[in-house]
Amino acid sequence: MDWTAIPPLSALRAFAAYAEHRSVEQAGNALNVSHAAISQQIRNLETHLGLALLDRHGRRMTLTPDGERLAEALLDGFGGIARTLAEMTGRDAGRALEISATPGFAATWLMPRLPGFRERHPSLSLAIDPSSQLRSLQPGGLDVAIRYGNGNWPGLEAERLFLSPIVVVAAPALVPRPITDPAELRAYPWLQELGTSEATDWLAEYGVTPDTAHGMTGLPGNLMIEAARQGQGIAITARLFVEQDLVAGRLRLLFQDARQKGYWMVTRPGILRAPLRHFVSWLRREAAKASSPI
């Protein structure tokens, strides 16, 4: 990076403050300087860049296209710096810990264990997003994600919690006998977790085309498993989530994929803020207890 090409920080801060508030008076208040100082810094920045950042011809100043582009970059950059500093210095320690996990993992594995975490850390606030969407982990936002896969998420730290194979299951009332050929499952209705294509991919892998007369029902992971218990369709899921159902006979194991993937704890690189450190340590202990879930 050519640091000499970057304009003075004071001018960039003044312009970013103006872009945030769209007012020289409010920008001056935010930086504890006069509005005249904000105006002068913006003019200095325009002179340095050789670009017009503000359109001053109307009754109210507006950002030019170049000004909008620079404002977006500065607000994003300064915002990231502010959030990172808050994490490092502990100023955001009171912010709720944001956790993302698939609906199946959240309902079946995480929620039953959370009272133990709450008992250890009663003052920590939690925000749990049960979603199959791969949300971005950003400073000031999502702190940790529990993801199923092979651990390869570039730019992030991934620590495996445990392995769990994929299984195909159904209620005995729906499939009363053992199945040896995946093609036999074509005649049954199927369930699939929203946000995934696991059922479709599994059928395609074995060369089975779903019967359009039965269709595919998409549900959140926890509701999909309940629908499978009720005999509404065949489900494909991690064995971890249905082990007790298999033992109790509520579900029948039809097929099991020998290629095991795992559940991973995914965080951003760097220093973890205090609430996240507590959660990570607790999650490791709980995963160790469940290291042989099948």
Side-chain angles (χ1 to χ4, degrees), residues 234-248:
I234 294 174
I236 181 167
T237 186
R239 180 161 182 160
L240 168 71
F241 299 152
V242 294
E243 184 61 34
Q244 294 183 0
D245 293 289
L246 295 174
V247 172

Side-chain angles (χ1 to χ4, degrees), residues 129-232:
D129 177 20
S131 173
S132 299
Q133 180 183 4
L134 293 184
R135 288 180 54 195
S136 176
L137 282 83
Q138 297 291 340
L142 182 63
D143 290 290
V144 58
I146 314 299
R147 296 179 178 176
Y148 185 78
N150 58 13
N152 183 25
W153 292 283
L156 298 173
E157 300 287 345
E159 179 179 336
R160 195 180 72 192
L161 298 174
F162 40 68
L163 295 173
S164 182
I166 287 293
V167 294
V168 179
V169 297
L174 179 66
V175 184
R177 60 181 178 83
I179 299 292
T180 58
D181 183 356
E184 296 181 65
L185 300 180
R186 185 176 183 274
Y188 294 91
W190 275 75
L191 307 169
Q192 182 163 262
E193 183 171 5
L194 285 174
T196 76
S197 58
E198 288 179 337
T200 306
D201 293 345
W202 189 88
L203 289 167
E205 183 180 342
Y206 287 92
V208 179
T209 303
D211 187 345
T212 56
H214 297 289
M216 184 86 66
T217 301
L219 296 163
N222 55 325
L223 297 182
M224 179 189 71
I225 294 173
E226 180 57 33
R229 295 184 186 117
Q230 296 176 10
Q232 296 183 28

Side-chain angles (χ1 to χ4, degrees), residues 41-108:
Q41 289 285 7
I42 293 175
R43 289 188 181 278
N44 291 344
L45 181 59
E46 289 177 314
T47 300
H48 183 97
L49 296 175
L51 297 170
L53 301 176
L54 295 181
D55 185 345
R56 300 175 174 85
H57 294 96
R59 295 182 59 185
R60 183 178 178 85
M61 291 190 300
T62 59
L63 296 179
T64 65
D66 286 329
E68 291 283 3
R69 184 179 178 187
L70 180 59
E72 181 179 357
L74 289 176
L75 291 174
D76 182 60
F78 283 131
I81 292 170
R83 289 189 295 268
T84 300
L85 288 173
E87 287 187 6
M88 293 173 63
T89 59
R91 286 198 298 270
D92 73 340
R95 179 171 64 84
L97 184 68
E98 291 196 41
I99 304 160
S100 174
T102 64
F105 186 92
T108 308

